[in-house]
């Protein structure tokens, strides 16, 4: 089992810092504690209140945010706080004491069509995963219990999971009118029963093998370390994250930066989910991204190569 790691994230409010974990901390719930008495159900929050500068503790699905008093500056203490949280979690410390009422929070799932006629997006009222994951077949899905179950339906071709939704690519053997309700109810029940959507040690990010090497989909894939990229690649990633990904995600897909060739001024991106294999998305996205990158990075990008994940 992968250990917890904590990443420090500064916020727009200078008094508040987020300590983001690489795994879920709570079962789809958020909590706010203003003092140690209010934090009776959260041993980790109670422990944090022993730090004299802690004013408020917020606990969400994959992060703990702390609002401090002005007696210290965050740069003086944030690393120690991150280490304390990380050590606590890796020793098996309890984040929130659960009860039956908390376990039975209703789950809702609705179906949403996408530009790809073969893909339907199933959106839940809670966060499902911390990072996107795509599975082309049941062997790929060894670390995703939900995807493995979905592949038992003979009409399920591919599964893509991100944030709070599941995109399913189907075979032509069935129409969406015939199977949407069945899939929607199956996904809702699976989540409601508290089953794991994606195993913690299978968190995926950008694919490995950016230079054409073979990729293993069942093994964890580390996210690209943006600090190791050249300046232009960092700018491309920032543009994709801010301008392209939100629109693509709304259609049940995802786009990943793969590489940048300075000599040919070419950016290579990978399309996932509803975007992968869509009759129109490859050319539409390529054209749109290409135009945006040309305009925003004049003289650095001329071409975009889009490939299906």
């Amino acid at each position: 089992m992968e250990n917890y790691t904590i990443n420090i994230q500064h916020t727009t409010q200078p008094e508040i810092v987020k300590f983001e974990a690489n795994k879920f901390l709570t079962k789809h719930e958020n909590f706010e504690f203003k003092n140690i008495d209010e934090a009776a159900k959260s041993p980790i929050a109670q422990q944090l209140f022993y730090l004299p500068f802690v004013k408020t503790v917020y606990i969400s699905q994959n992060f703990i945010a702390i609002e401090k008093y002005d007696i210290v500056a965050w740069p003086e203490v944030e690393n120690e706080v991150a280490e304390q949280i990380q050590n606590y979690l890796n020793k098996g410390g309890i984040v929130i004491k659960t009860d039956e009422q908390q376990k039975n929070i209703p789950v809702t799932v609705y179906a949403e069509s996408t530009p790809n006629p073969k893909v339907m997006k199933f959106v839940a009222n809670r966060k499902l995963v911390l990072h996107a994951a795509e599975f082309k077949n049941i062997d790929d899905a060894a670390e995703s219990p939900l995807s493995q179950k979905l592949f038992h339906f003979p009409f399920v071709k591919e599964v893509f999971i991100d944030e709070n939704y599941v995109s399913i690519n189907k075979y032509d053997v069935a129409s969406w009118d015939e199977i949407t309700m069945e899939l929607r109810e199956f996904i809702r029940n699976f989540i409601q029963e508290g089953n794991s959507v994606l195993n913690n040690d299978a968190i995926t990010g950008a694919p490995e093998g950016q230079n054409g090497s073979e990729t293993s989909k069942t093994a964890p894939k580390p996210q690209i370390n943006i600090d190791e990229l050249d300046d232009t690649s960092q700018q491309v990633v920032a543009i994709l994250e801010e301008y392209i990904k939100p629109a693509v995600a709304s259609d049940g897909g995802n786009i990943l930066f793969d590489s940048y060739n300075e000599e040919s001024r070419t950016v290579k991106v990978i399309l996932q989910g509803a975007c992968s294999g869509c009759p129109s998305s490859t050319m539409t996205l390529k054209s749109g991204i290409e135009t945006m990158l040309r305009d925003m990075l004049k003289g650095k990008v001329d071409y975009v190569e889009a490939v299906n994940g």
Side-chain angles (χ1 to χ4, degrees), residues 116 119 133-144 147-148 150-161 167-171 198 204 207 215-218 221 252-254 256 270-278 281-282 307-309:
N116 188 340
V119 176
E134 184 174 47
F135 306 102
K136 300 289 188 180
N137 55 57
I138 196 169
D139 286 339
D140 285 350
E143 298 297 344
S144 174
S147 299
Q148 281 214 317
L150 288 170
F151 277 116
H152 283 82
F153 293 96
F155 42 76
V156 172
K157 183 180 181 182
E158 299 175 7
V159 178
F160 175 77
I161 308 173
S167 289
I168 295 178
N169 190 324
K170 72 173 182 65
Y171 288 105
L198 184 68
T204 61
T215 300
S216 170
K217 292 193 186 302
T218 56
K221 305 179 184 74
N254 189 35
L256 299 173
I270 298 173
L271 306 180
Q272 293 182 316
C275 298
S276 179
C278 179
S281 67
T282 301
V307 298
N308 293 323

Side-chain angles (χ1 to χ4, degrees), residues 26-31 41 59-61 96 98 101-103 105:
T26 72
K27 287 289 187 180
H28 319 294
E29 296 177 276
N30 302 316
F31 302 88
K41 66 192 305 181
I59 300 179
S60 187
Q61 286 183 263
I96 297 292
T98 60
Q101 184 178 4
Q102 292 173 331
K103 293 178 182 178
I105 295 175

Side-chain angles (χ1 to χ4, degrees), residues 180-302:
T180 296
M181 183 66 72
E182 181 180 10
L183 287 171
R184 184 178 69 81
E185 283 303 299
F186 175 81
I187 294 171
R188 188 189 69 80
N189 290 333
F190 185 94
I191 300 169
Q192 181 70 62
E193 291 168 3
N195 298 303
S196 296
V197 174
L198 184 68
N199 292 340
N200 284 326
D201 58 350
I203 291 174
T204 61
E208 293 173 336
Q210 294 179 4
N211 297 318
S213 60
E214 185 176 354
T215 300
S216 170
K217 292 193 186 302
T218 56
K221 305 179 184 74
Q223 297 187 76
I224 291 175
N225 185 347
I226 192 169
D227 294 330
E228 297 177 357
L229 299 177
D230 60 84
D231 290 343
T232 302
S233 294
Q234 290 187 23
Q235 290 175 303
V236 171
V237 171
I239 292 170
L240 293 178
E241 291 285 338
E242 183 173 356
Y243 298 101
I244 306 297
K245 276 196 173 186
V248 172
S250 68
D251 287 334
N254 189 35
I255 185 168
L256 299 173
F257 171 80
D258 183 86
S259 60
Y260 168 67
N261 187 312
E262 184 178 6
E263 184 176 338
S264 62
R265 297 179 181 177
T266 299
V267 171
K268 183 178 179 182
V269 297
I270 298 173
L271 306 180
Q272 293 182 316
C275 298
S276 179
C278 179
S280 61
S281 67
T282 301
M283 284 307 299
T284 302
L285 278 171
K286 176 184 180 298
S287 176
I289 298 169
E290 201 169 76
T291 300
M292 180 175 290
L293 292 178
R294 279 177 177 172
D295 291 343
M296 300 181 75
L297 299 174
K298 293 185 184 297
K300 296 181 179 180
V301 175
D302 289 334

Side-chain angles (χ1 to χ4, degrees), residues 42-102:
S42 175
I44 190 171
Q46 286 195 315
Q47 179 173 308
L48 289 169
F49 275 114
Y50 279 95
L51 301 172
F53 54 83
V54 171
K55 181 178 181 181
T56 307
V57 176
Y58 309 89
I59 300 179
S60 187
Q61 286 183 263
N62 70 311
F63 69 82
I64 296 174
I66 298 176
E67 180 183 8
K68 69 171 183 64
Y69 289 107
D70 292 335
I71 59 172
V72 296
W74 272 121
E76 299 172 358
V77 296
E78 59 188 23
N79 290 325
E80 289 81 358
V81 174
E83 183 178 358
Q84 179 177 327
I85 294 172
Q86 183 172 293
N87 290 339
Y88 177 91
L89 295 172
N90 284 325
K91 290 178 181 178
I94 295 173
V95 178
I96 297 292
K97 296 177 182 177
T98 60
D99 54 39
E100 288 302 316
Q101 184 178 4
Q102 292 173 331

